[in-house]
Amino acid sequence: QVQLVESGGGLVQAGGSLRLSCAASGRTFSGYTMGWFRQAPGKEREFVARITWIGGNTYYADSVKGRFTISRDNAKNTVYLQMNSLKAEDTAVYYCAAAPRIVPRNYEYGYWGQGTQVTVSS
């Protein structure tokens, strides 16, 4: 059974940093892409960043480019999202997800974690 478990969320002041982790288990994820999404109250879920397990190729939403960094530790089966220069508009529940292809469309992410809350105070 595939499990994605996020951790690392919390309350931080604007301009601060947080690192989210996503521990993946239950299958081999080679050939998969891992993504981070977020959903703010009253808004639709939006893509944040993605990384391939093999090769570590990354892609970011324009809203986080230059501030957030996605990475993975294959030995630990863990994906990270380092978030710097946080803004109030980054406040959301952040979700980790997995898709079985290299460049997935958002609807192709079939596995999801339970989410972790990030709150940025201004």
Side-chain angles (χ1 to χ4, degrees):
Q1 181 180 356
V2 173
Q3 276 196 312
L4 303 178
V5 180
E6 302 99 333
S7 60
L11 174 64
V12 64
Q13 288 189 332
S17 299
L18 279 176
R19 189 177 81 155
L20 305 182
S21 299
C22 172
S25 62
R27 66 159 297 128
T28 300
F29 288 94
S30 58
Y32 272 63
T33 294
M34 304 299 292
W36 285 98
F37 292 76
R38 66 187 182 186
Q39 187 167 21
K43 295 188 176 181
E44 293 188 354
R45 185 171 60 196
E46 66 173 355
F47 167 81
V48 175
R50 68 172 186 246
I51 187 168
T52 57
W53 273 116
I54 303 300
N57 297 309
T58 60
Y59 182 78
Y60 298 90
D62 287 343
S63 59
V64 306
K65 203 172 294 182
R67 300 188 299 122
F68 291 10
T69 302
I70 189 171
S71 62
R72 88 273 188 247
D73 184 330
N74 288 4
K76 295 182 178 180
N77 255 22
T78 300
V79 177
Y80 304 98
L81 185 67
Q82 177 67 44
M83 306 185 294
N84 298 329
S85 302
L86 282 161
K87 306 174 182 179
E89 52 263 44
D90 294 318
T91 295
V93 177
Y94 283 71
Y95 298 91
C96 175
R101 58 180 297 169
I102 299 302
V103 185
R105 298 178 185 270
N106 288 351
Y107 66 81
E108 293 179 304
Y109 287 86
Y111 300 112
W112 292 85
Q114 81 288 351
T116 185
Q117 176 70 47
V118 171
T119 303
V120 184
S121 62
S122 56

